[in-house]
Amino acid sequence: MQRLDPAVAYERAVGLAARGRRAILGITGAPAAGKSTYAEQLTAKLVADGHKVALVPMDGYHLAQSVLEELGIADVKGAPHTFDGYGFVAMLSRLKQSADEQIWAPRFDRGIEDSIAASIGIAPDVTLVVTEGNYLLLDQMPWTTIRTLLDQCWYVEVPEQLRHDRLEARHRQFGRSPEEAHARTYGTDEHNARLIAATASAADAIVQLS
């Protein structure tokens, strides 16, 4: 498995953005590995350098909190079945196959813990779409279709203790007690992390972050 430092990864992303037809780059990794921050920073740098790039996170396809509660699965929010996976696949397919359209994607707002429809615009001149999420390489339907739509997919990796510390801090930030944060980090989140880690071998490269 090829390992990339952020500088080399950036040059590879430039190559995707500059090749003349729209490409889709996937960024995946376990919860709190830093994939969202990395994808945001990568997109911002590419845009600042003059490339036409849009970021479309998978989190916009979370099922609504009210739906999760109705279905009785709110306590495992973040597991594969708590997303509209087929909707996400359909969006990626449209981004790849209908590059001449103005397309609008949903965005997940952590402040309200829900998605906001049609809040990310992808203009026809966008040559690279960066998408990030937990299950881009998961070998289960409908997720397995995603790999065929990605030009490249990178797996983000950080030391496990750092990832756990970040995850507990995130849960506390959003109102959970220290005990609840610890239980969630080493319970449901750890189960998801192991599921995601098992997909790393399907990535094109691993990006190591500090």
Side-chain angles (χ1 to χ4, degrees):
M1 175 65 65
Q2 186 176 16
R3 293 180 178 270
L4 307 176
D5 65 38
V8 174
Y10 179 75
E11 292 305 318
R12 184 174 290 192
V14 168
L16 290 173
R19 70 182 191 176
R21 60 184 177 84
R22 180 174 290 171
I24 302 180
L25 168 63
I27 307 292
T28 193
K35 59 186 177 295
S36 297
T37 300
Y38 173 65
E40 290 168 3
Q41 292 174 345
L42 175 64
T43 300
K45 181 168 173 52
L46 287 164
V47 170
D49 287 348
H51 301 285
K52 300 295 186 179
V53 184
L55 175 61
V56 181
M58 190 193 88
D59 275 0
Y61 288 86
H62 269 291
L63 297 182
Q65 186 67 25
S66 59
V67 171
L68 296 175
E69 291 170 1
E70 181 181 339
L71 295 174
I73 55 175
D75 59 335
V76 293
K77 186 173 185 176
H81 62 290
T82 65
F83 291 87
D84 175 15
Y86 283 99
F88 181 54
V89 169
M91 173 57 74
L92 292 180
S93 179
R94 187 179 171 202
L95 288 168
K96 194 68 177 285
Q97 298 170 10
S98 302
D100 58 338
E101 298 178 9
Q102 171 67 44
I103 297 174
W104 295 92
R107 172 179 60 85
F108 186 74
D109 187 327
R110 287 199 176 274
I112 61 173
E113 280 293 296
D114 249 326
S115 297
I116 302 174
S119 54
I120 299 174
I122 304 94
D125 63 352
V126 167
T127 58
L128 176 63
V129 173
V130 178
T131 187
E132 59 87 8
N134 291 345
Y135 304 116
L136 304 187
L137 296 173
L138 188 62
D139 190 17
Q140 299 175 10
M141 286 298 291
W143 309 100
T144 190
T145 309
I146 293 173
R147 191 65 185 90
T148 67
L149 298 169
L150 302 179
D151 293 85
Q152 288 199 25
C153 189
W154 303 342
Y155 188 92
V156 171
E157 196 175 74
V158 295
E160 279 294 276
Q161 188 57 57
L162 173 60
R163 191 180 65 78
H164 288 144
D165 291 346
R166 285 176 177 173
L167 204 47
E168 286 200 59
R170 179 191 296 174
H171 287 312
R172 291 196 301 271
Q173 179 184 352
F174 289 99
R176 291 188 171 93
S177 69
E179 294 76 19
E180 290 171 332
H182 185 83
R184 181 65 185 260
T185 297
Y186 290 93
T188 301
D189 288 340
E190 187 63 17
H191 173 79
N192 294 338
R194 291 176 183 175
L195 184 65
I196 296 159
T199 72
S201 61
D204 293 292
I206 291 177
V207 177
Q208 295 180 299
L209 303 177
S210 58

